[in-house]
Amino acid sequence: MNRDFSKTIVITGNGKGKTTSALGLCVEASKAGLKVYFGQFMKGEEYSEIKALRQLSGVSVDQYGGAMALGREINDQDRAVAKKGIERAKVALESGLFGLVVVDEINVAAFLEFLDIQEVLDLMDAKPIKTGLVLTGRYANDDVIAKADEAYEIGEIKHYFAKGVEAREGIEM
């Protein structure tokens, strides 16, 4: 059986399921005996996805983004939180302890300029050969996609949000 988790994967697009796809990879890696680091930008609440990850063996979870607010001008505190997040993700990546490192919503953080795109590219360059790296979020930069081994765009065909249905606990949060 091939146990090669060493690829860099980008999961982007306007459809629902980018984080969910990354969570599936975390489950598979954990169940295969690999240690997993899951760092989440832009979100600070302990949604169901985070609660589930914390129950998996060998999975470490960090959130760095609860102070980041959408719909207002970016401030130095936002950038500091994002900077701390990318530094922690880089330490996890370079440590050699993890078979899989996921940086959830990093594409959005870069798109909104909480992070500089060069910081994301540098993170990708820091990936050890035997470690997998997953970058999720809408608006993935073309250079990030080009540098990745695999890239997936999740599109929306139809979603009940358009009818005013709010996010449901256990499904979207």
Side-chain angles (χ1 to χ4, degrees):
M1 180 181 301
N2 185 350
R3 292 178 43 90
D4 182 2
F5 277 80
S6 67
K7 304 302 181 206
T8 298
I9 302 169
V10 173
I11 307 171
T12 192
N14 291 326
K16 179 184 171 320
K18 296 171 291 294
T19 298
T20 304
S21 295
L23 293 172
L25 293 170
C26 292
V27 169
E28 290 189 39
S30 171
K31 294 306 175 188
L34 297 175
K35 291 193 179 292
V36 176
Y37 177 83
F38 185 90
Q40 189 173 57
F41 289 87
M42 308 299 297
K43 300 175 185 174
E45 295 184 40
E46 188 143 322
Y47 293 117
S48 299
E49 62 200 24
I50 298 299
K51 292 175 186 174
L53 279 177
R54 291 191 195 284
Q55 294 178 16
L56 292 173
S57 176
V59 177
S60 298
V61 178
D62 278 333
Q63 288 180 292
Y64 19 80
M68 295 176 185
L70 300 176
R72 67 163 169 76
E73 194 165 322
I74 298 166
N75 62 40
D76 290 339
Q77 180 182 351
D78 297 325
R79 287 188 185 93
V81 169
K83 181 77 167 170
K84 179 179 177 184
I86 202 160
E87 287 171 358
R88 289 174 75 174
K90 190 171 183 182
V91 166
L93 195 60
E94 292 177 332
S95 72
L97 297 174
F98 300 98
L100 180 65
V101 173
V102 175
V103 281
D104 187 46
E105 302 293 356
I106 194 168
N107 295 324
V108 176
F111 177 79
L112 294 175
E113 298 180 353
F114 291 106
L115 297 169
D116 184 85
I117 197 62
Q118 189 58 51
E119 293 175 292
V120 178
L121 295 169
D122 291 346
L123 180 71
M124 294 172 80
D125 286 339
K127 185 187 87 55
I129 290 173
K130 293 187 178 189
T131 302
L133 175 63
V134 179
L135 303 95
T136 75
R138 297 173 188 238
Y139 319 119
N141 179 279
D142 289 341
D143 292 338
V144 169
I145 292 170
K147 188 179 276 282
D149 297 301
E150 303 174 42
Y152 300 96
E153 183 172 13
I154 297 179
E156 179 182 317
I157 296 172
K158 182 178 180 181
H159 198 292
Y160 50 81
F161 283 167
K163 293 182 180 181
V165 177
E166 293 184 20
R168 300 169 297 163
E169 186 173 355
I171 304 295
E172 289 90 18
M173 53 188 277

